[in-house]
């Protein structure tokens, strides 16, 4: 009873349907501009020539956490990886000192 897994496909990339990496035809073009109009993201800290992100600067740190208290990823904010790492450390330090909330429930 040694049957192969040919009939039991779980999306291993061998099927003919539209998958995550489907090429061409199935793309959504709204108004001919791709998805929606997206502004070019830029690193705010590079533009302002910031050397180091300070954990005591709560106004800046609050802009990089969402309403649930999670850190917003760099692919959304456009922050460079160097500053994103500094941002994570600064937010964790500010949370530890109760300057920022861990969650929205606090």
């Amino acid at each position: 009873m040694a049957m192969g897994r040919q009939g039991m496909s779980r999306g291993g990339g061998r099927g003919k349907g539209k998958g995550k990496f489907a090429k061409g035809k199935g793309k959504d073009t709204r108004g001919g501009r791709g998805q929606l109009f997206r502004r070019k993201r830029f690193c705010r800290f590079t533009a302002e020539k910031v050397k180091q992100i300070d954990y005591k600067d709560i106004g800046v740190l609050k802009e990089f956490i969402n309403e649930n208290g999670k850190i917003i990823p760099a692919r959304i904010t456009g922050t460079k990886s160097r500053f994103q790492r500094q941002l994570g450390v600064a937010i964790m330090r500010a949370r530890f000192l109760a300057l920022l909330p861990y969650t929205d429930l606090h």
Side-chain angles (χ1 to χ4, degrees):
M1 295 252 278
M3 284 182 56
R5 296 191 63 149
Q6 293 112 340
M8 299 170 51
S9 177
R10 291 192 60 190
R14 296 185 189 113
K16 292 184 180 179
K18 288 185 199 175
K20 186 175 181 182
F21 303 105
K23 293 196 171 116
K25 302 172 187 170
K27 294 195 177 179
D28 185 27
T29 54
R30 294 182 201 153
R33 290 188 292 188
Q35 290 178 333
L36 294 171
F37 174 71
R38 288 236 170 110
R39 184 175 289 130
K40 177 85 172 90
R41 291 186 303 252
F42 65 95
C43 181
R44 173 180 161 173
F45 302 108
T46 306
E48 294 175 2
K49 295 186 172 108
V50 174
K51 300 275 186 200
Q52 192 78 19
I53 298 175
D54 190 18
Y55 70 92
K56 293 172 278 188
D57 195 1
I58 302 304
V60 172
L61 297 181
K62 275 188 178 179
E63 295 174 17
F64 290 92
I65 60 171
N66 64 12
E67 61 272 2
N68 296 332
K70 291 183 177 181
I71 300 172
I72 301 174
R75 64 184 161 79
I76 294 173
T77 60
T79 307
K80 289 189 176 179
S81 59
R82 173 182 167 216
F83 292 111
Q84 186 71 17
R85 287 190 294 270
Q86 288 182 19
L87 196 62
V89 171
I91 289 173
M92 285 186 254
R93 286 179 180 165
R95 284 174 175 167
F96 182 76
L97 294 172
L99 300 174
L100 286 177
Y102 280 97
T103 64
D104 59 342
L105 302 175
H106 290 110

